[in-house]
Amino acid sequence: MSYKSSYLLAGAIATAIGLAVSPAQAGKSDDTLAWATDREVAVVDPYYNNTRELVVMGHLGWDSLLFRDIKTGEFKPLLATKWEWDGNKRIVVDLREGVKFHDGSDFDADDVVYTINHVSNKDSGVLSFKNVSWMKNAEKLGSHKVAINLHKPFPAALAFLSNVVFIMPSGHYDSAPTKADGKKDYGAVKAVGTGPYQFVEVKAGDYVLWKKNGNYFAGSPKGKPQIGNIKFRTIKEMNTQIAELLTGGLDWIWDVPKDQAERLKDGGKVTVENAKTMRVSYMAFDVHGRSGQEFFKNKKVREAVAHAVNRGSITKNLVGPASVVIPSACHPDQFGCAQDVPKWNYDPEKAKALLKEAGYPDGFEFDIYAYRQREYTEAVIGDLAKVGIKAKLNFMQYRALRDLVWKGKTPINHMTWGSNSIPDVSAITSHFFSGGRDDPAKDPEVIKALAEGDTATDPKVREAAYKKALTKISGELYWLPMFTYAKYYAWSNDLDFKTTPDEIPRFYTAKWK
Amino acid sequence: MLQYMLKRLGVAVLVALTVSLITFSMIYLSGDPAIALAGESATEEDISNIRKFYGYDRPIIIQYLDWLWRALQGDFGQSHYLKSSVAGVIFERLPTTMLLGACAISFALILSIPLGVLAAIRPNSLIDRFALTIAVIGQAMPSFWFALTLMLWFGITWRLLPITGSSSWANFVMPAIALGYYVTPGVMRLTRAGMLEVLASDYIRTARAKGLRPMPVLFKHALRNAILPVVSLAAVQFGFMLGGSIVIETIFAINGLGFLAWESIQRADLPVMQAIVLVLSVFYIALTFLSDMLNAFLDPRIRVR
């Protein structure tokens, strides 16, 4: 081969490679905000896909009746213009006029009635049924006026209405295909909402594409969308996500491990931020000795564990600066999450003394169970070892562990809970301590106080009831509340993005710099 | 030959059934699938509804037999998560994995056969040592680490190749190298050993004595005989690659069958997991079966054993 033909061949190869590596649809030049997580999204419907990704997309593609201002906690009109309680089991809602769905149809009372009556029906198979099961039904009072009837008083209703009850067009699920078993496949219906972004297409395992809703109604507290397209991509491996972020294939990622986030921050090529989330970490004790390892029946032993674990060090060195140690069995940002409850400071010497008093001067050996962020549980194990308690780690998948927890087979389980980003104690404390299978204590006093907090309509009564329950839970150490989770986010320097404390990135407020 | 073929076929079917039964049981050993489907924030009631909705409240053996009966009729059911037919999902993604597997095995053969031949022609020479080094590195280096290294250099530093996706041929370069490299040592060592044996045989000496030129002796007479076991190995390795592409597809975000398998395990999508295991095991068994048949055809002694 001559030199000339060699050069020609090399040029052709270089051109071919250059063509092949043209960047993916992403970035300011494409007016496409590309973000990724490790999850595959196939069903684009917030009622039939309960992943965090659909929580995020739910707020992009759909609107709820109310909007909760994340800064002030205040509820503002969204699809509703006015709402008021009629007694303690009925909410009357005036609806906004002039709003259109992405398919061009007008929004009115029929849509709200249809949506609520569909999702609150158990047979509809909504995945997180607790999010909607508190609603009995909805009735039309006028073309833009409805009443929502509740099964029983539910003071957290507004928080749920603003966060997880998205409005679909009337008849939306009627076109659902029928599966082989004769049941309707509601999740297969094409996504249509009123939100700031309109669904374009989904390719399971690959991407979900949204485009700006040019007709999004003026006056929405969400504001007019700024970026043309939002593309969600599934990229399982964090190193790959980071590589794509650095090379322009992605504009936004989260859940970046602390060490990698710090290196990215030092590199300066992307913006890195650690932001708090609604998720909390806790350790639940087997207070009744059902697991066969009866150490934690003794309150002194539970106290010893509480004094032995250096929660402050875990938040500082492993979780991130936005994480805080929590004294109560809830997130400090949630309504009713009292903070003036018994607290257990880090004091290994006191822990040793308590163990001695409890009859374990040389410590003991037990099984600890966990499913998430192994390094956090390993830090706990290290702290316990310093006072003579040897914990054997059983690290497993969530589904396997929850099964064991329900069967009472875990002496200590180190778990987390995200509350579906609901800013109300009923979404966590009532879930875990109302006497169900998740309840490690089944304390009648706690159960009664929570029931009062869950049904009272006076906020002060609710707060007092929750405080009573939380004081008992922390005082008796049914749980050792650990810390709030914090996430590392990383995004392109071209992107103007603000993190929020509830783990729901509002991409509709993002814009290019 | 027919008797041998039927015997091997019977064994193959039994292996496929056993694999599917073991997989089905293992899925349940790893926890309640209804909990995984319901998600982390689900209540006890949510999970109970899901268990009933998908029929997980029935005895496991009944669920397995029900699935097997429908699978025999070509109905793998519906994916709980993807909300579409399992067969459709699998056959949509199978071509990507097949393409990746084909690229990887091609890369492995293109690299390993010439190196194996060269190593055999000049045993204990520099080229033989070089080939040995390649083999040792290939077997010692974890594929995920090799994949990330390729990504670092070719994707981030030099920006020559795209990091993720499967939309162009360039997307397959790094994954094919990462996947195929692991197979290279075995094929190369087998080629070398086969060539050494053949080159020392009487008919090669005769061919040389007849005055044939070195190249025809090497490729027409020696390699054609030495490569027979390599063909068998390559067929089996191709089956291994289809199943073993999980890591590579995950790292390079290739939307293939391996990635689907990994995702289905994570979310306990039982119908998809079962079908993938069955499809991959059938592929592997079919390739092994074909390899057995080829060997039996080429070497009649095998048929009578």
Side-chain angles (χ1 to χ4, degrees), chain B residues 91-114:
Chain B
F91 289 109
E92 183 186 292
R93 303 195 190 196
L94 189 60
T96 306
T97 301
M98 295 283 275
L99 180 60
L100 175 61
C103 291
I105 197 77
S106 303
F107 166 77
L109 295 177
I110 288 168
L111 180 68
S112 57
I113 292 176

Side-chain angles (χ1 to χ4, degrees), chain B:
Chain B
M1 180 72 186
L2 183 66
Q3 195 185 1
Y4 176 78
M5 198 168 82
L6 288 173
K7 197 175 156 191
R8 299 301 302 167
L9 196 62
V11 171
V13 170
L14 279 177
V15 170
L17 281 174
T18 310
V19 167
S20 70
L21 182 61
I22 291 171
T23 315
F24 204 92
S25 313
M26 285 177 76
I27 289 162
Y28 277 85
L29 283 176
S30 65
D32 187 343
I35 297 177
L37 272 177
E40 278 189 35
S41 303
T43 61
E44 207 176 316
E45 191 187 7
D46 293 337
I47 292 165
S48 169
N49 287 342
I50 286 169
R51 197 177 289 122
K52 200 173 169 189
F53 190 80
Y54 288 113
Y56 294 142
D57 50 351
R58 296 175 300 162
I60 295 176
I61 190 69
I62 300 291
Q63 290 182 53
Y64 175 70
L65 291 174
D66 182 38
W67 171 81
L68 190 64
W69 175 244
R70 284 187 289 110
L72 287 171
Q73 297 169 72
D75 174 17
F76 291 112
Q78 293 272 318
S79 161
H80 297 336
Y81 186 83
L82 301 171
K83 305 287 178 193
S84 48
S85 90
V86 172
V89 170
I90 287 179
F91 289 109
E92 183 186 292
R93 303 195 190 196
L94 189 60
T96 306
T97 301
M98 295 283 275
L99 180 60
L100 175 61
C103 291
I105 197 77
S106 303
F107 166 77
L109 295 177
I110 288 168
L111 180 68
S112 57
I113 292 176
L115 273 177
V117 171
L118 286 172
I121 297 169
R122 300 269 183 275
N124 301 318
S125 65
L126 196 62
I127 190 83
D128 191 18
R129 301 286 174 207
F130 173 69
L132 181 67
T133 306
I134 296 254
V136 170
I137 291 173
Q139 288 203 317
M141 196 163 48
S143 57
F144 73 88
W145 186 83
F146 184 46
L148 290 174
T149 308
L150 288 174
M151 191 185 285
L152 179 66
W153 291 109
F154 292 95
I156 300 176
T157 308
W158 298 322
R159 303 215 177 178
L160 283 173
L161 293 164
I163 294 166
T164 60
S166 53
S167 54
S168 76
W169 64 267
N171 289 100
F172 286 91
V173 176
M174 286 195 284
I177 292 172
L179 186 60
Y181 190 51
Y182 186 73
V183 174
T184 306
V187 176
M188 189 167 64
R189 301 304 288 175
L190 196 63
T191 308
R192 181 185 180 274
M195 284 295 284
L196 280 175
E197 191 184 335
V198 171
L199 286 173
S201 61
D202 291 343
Y203 73 92
I204 294 293
R205 198 178 305 121
T206 307
R208 282 177 177 151
K210 280 167 68 183
L212 284 179
R213 283 175 297 157
M215 284 300 155
V217 171
L218 202 60
F219 291 106
K220 200 173 171 185
H221 298 282
L223 186 59
R224 277 179 71 172
N225 285 300
I227 211 161
L228 288 174
V230 175
V231 173
S232 304
L233 179 69
V236 174
Q237 289 293 356
F238 182 63
F240 168 78
M241 278 177 176
L242 295 181
S245 61
I246 292 177
V247 173
I248 297 301
E249 287 187 8
T250 302
I251 289 175
F252 291 102
I254 293 174
N255 196 12
L257 208 57
F259 182 70
L260 179 67
W262 173 251
E263 283 285 285
S264 304
I265 292 166
Q266 295 278 308
R267 58 191 176 225
D269 196 346
L270 299 192
V272 179
M273 286 162 68
Q274 275 297 102
I276 290 175
V277 170
L278 190 70
V279 167
L280 289 179
S281 58
V282 164
F283 258 107
Y284 194 83
I285 289 161
L287 287 166
T288 312
F289 175 73
L290 283 175
S291 165
D292 286 348
M293 290 303 107
L294 185 66
N295 282 331
F297 177 74
L298 295 169
D299 186 351
R301 288 170 298 179
I302 293 173
R303 295 176 224 163
V304 291
R305 270 177 209 162

